[in-house]
Amino acid sequence: MDTSAVKKFVPFIVMPAFLVIVELGSLALSLPVQAAGLVAFQDPQSMANPLIFMAILLGFTAFLLVLIKYGRKNLIAWVIGISIFLTFAYVFAALVPMVIGPGYVEIAVMLALSVAATVLLYKYPEWFVIDALGLLLAAGVASIFGVSLGTIPVILLLVILAVYDAISVYKTKHMITLAEGIIDLKTPILFVIPKKRDYSFIKEGIGKLANGGERAAFIIGMGDMIMPSMLVVSANVFCGGVKYFGLFNLPALGAIIGSVAGLAVLLHFVMSGRPQAGLPPLNGGTILGFLIGWALIGFA
C-alpha cells in the first residue's frame, strides 16, 4: 500500500481510538468526580440545565469572535489558557485525593499539577503533548458534565448543539472563523494527527505544505470528543443495568458504539476536504446507540 493510501486511513484509526479513550477515561473519572462533589448543576434532571449550558457557550463564543475581529489574539490566548488551567484544576481535584489525603498538601499538589500541565501546553505545544494532555482534559470535562446532567437533559443538549453546529458551520460560518482563529494561535484545544513522521505542530501548524498544498495534519476539535462522552457518562450514572467489566452498562456501551459509527460517517464527509459540522453525525450516532442500549435493559 502506498504512502498516500496509508495517510488516508490514519484518521479512521486514530480519531475513533481517541474518542473511545476519552469515553472510557470519562467513565473511569466519574467515580472520583462524584466523590469529590465536582458537579456543574445541582439538579441533574432539570431541563433548564441545557439552556444554561448553551447560554454560557454562546456568550463565550461571541466573546472570542469579538476578540478575533479586533485582532486581540494575545487576549484570546490568555482567556483560553486560564480556562485550560481551571479545567485541569477540576480534573486534578478529583484525581489527587485518590493518592493524597485531604489537606493543604492535596491542594498544593493539585495546583502544581494544573500549572505544570498548562505551562507545558503553552511552552511546548507539540502535537503529542497536546494530544496526551487533551485526552485527560476532554475526559475530565465530559465526566464532570456527564455526572451533572441526567440522560434526558443531555440528549436535549446534544440535539441543540448539533443544530447549532450545523447552522454555525454551513449557514453563518462563524464557527469556521472561530476555528481558524484558534488554529492560527496554535491554541491547544484540539487533537492533532500528523500525516508524516517528522511533522511538528510547533513549526508547521496545520497550514499548507510547500510541496502540493496538502494539510500537514488532521485535526478534530476537543468538543467533538467531549459532547458524545457526556452522554456515555450520564447513561452509566443514571441508567440501570449490569455494569460490564465493572465499568459500563448497556446504554453507555450503546452510546460508545453509536458515537464511533457517527464519527465514521463524519470522517467520510471530512475526506472531501471541506469544513464539516462534527456534532450532527457524532451526537446523532451517540443518541441512537444509547436508545438501543437503553431499550435492551427495558428503559430502566
Side-chain angles (χ1 to χ4, degrees):
M1 185 178 293
D2 60 32
T3 304
S4 61
V6 172
K7 287 193 295 185
K8 289 182 179 179
F9 283 105
V10 167
F12 288 95
I13 298 172
V14 177
M15 288 187 188
F18 278 5
L19 178 58
V20 173
I21 289 171
V22 170
E23 291 171 334
L24 294 180
S26 62
L27 286 175
L29 283 171
S30 62
L31 288 179
V33 162
Q34 288 177 292
L38 299 174
V39 294
F41 303 102
Q42 292 302 314
D43 180 6
Q45 304 300 337
S46 174
M47 299 305 288
N49 293 339
L51 302 180
I52 296 171
F53 186 103
M54 285 303 302
I56 295 172
L57 176 64
L58 291 173
F60 189 67
T61 300
F63 178 60
L64 291 180
L65 287 171
V66 170
L67 294 180
I68 290 173
K69 180 179 179 180
Y70 290 101
R72 303 302 298 272
K73 292 186 176 181
N74 289 338
L75 186 53
I76 294 174
W78 274 101
V79 169
I80 293 178
I82 292 171
S83 301
I84 289 174
F85 166 75
L86 292 174
T87 305
F88 273 128
Y90 275 102
V91 174
F92 288 124
L95 291 176
V96 171
M98 298 173 65
V99 181
I100 302 174
Y104 292 112
V105 174
E106 173 197 341
I107 296 172
V109 172
M110 179 268 289
L111 291 174
L113 289 173
S114 303
V115 170
T118 306
V119 169
L120 180 60
L121 276 175
Y122 273 84
K123 291 296 184 180
Y124 190 68
E126 197 49 89
W127 64 269
F128 48 84
V129 174
I130 292 173
D131 288 350
L133 290 177
L135 290 171
L136 175 61
L137 201 65
V141 173
S143 183
I144 291 170
F145 280 103
V147 303
S148 304
L149 293 165
T151 52
I152 301 304
V154 169
I155 290 174
L156 175 60
L157 176 60
L158 294 190
V159 171
I160 294 173
L161 284 168
V163 173
Y164 168 70
D165 196 31
I167 293 173
S168 62
V169 171
Y170 302 127
K171 186 70 174 177
T172 66
K173 302 186 186 298
H174 69 267
M175 193 58 69
I176 297 175
T177 301
L178 180 61
E180 289 175 346
I182 289 174
I183 290 170
D184 288 343
L185 287 171
K186 293 188 173 70
T187 306
I189 54 172
L190 41 78
F191 291 101
V192 183
I193 297 94
K195 289 184 178 181
K196 57 176 186 173
R197 291 183 180 179
D198 59 347
Y199 168 75
S200 170
F201 183 71
I202 295 175
K203 296 178 180 178
E204 303 176 48
I206 61 159
K208 304 294 185 181
L209 294 177
N211 59 351
E214 185 182 359
R215 289 286 189 184
F218 298 102
I219 63 165
I220 185 167
M222 198 172 288
D224 291 334
M225 300 289 181
I226 292 173
M227 301 309 169
S229 302
M230 286 165 50
L231 180 54
V232 172
V233 174
S234 179
N236 207 51
V237 171
F238 296 102
C239 292
V242 177
K243 293 288 179 68
Y244 294 93
F245 307 104
L247 188 60
F248 50 76
N249 56 18
L250 275 180
L253 178 60
I256 292 173
I257 295 172
S259 67
V260 173
L263 180 57
V265 172
L266 171 62
L267 291 174
H268 171 74
F269 289 105
V270 165
M271 296 308 288
S272 67
R274 295 186 298 273
Q276 301 291 330
L279 293 183
L282 275 168
N283 290 359
T286 307
I287 293 170
L288 180 59
F290 160 75
L291 291 175
I292 293 173
W294 198 23
L296 289 176
I297 64 168
F299 299 106

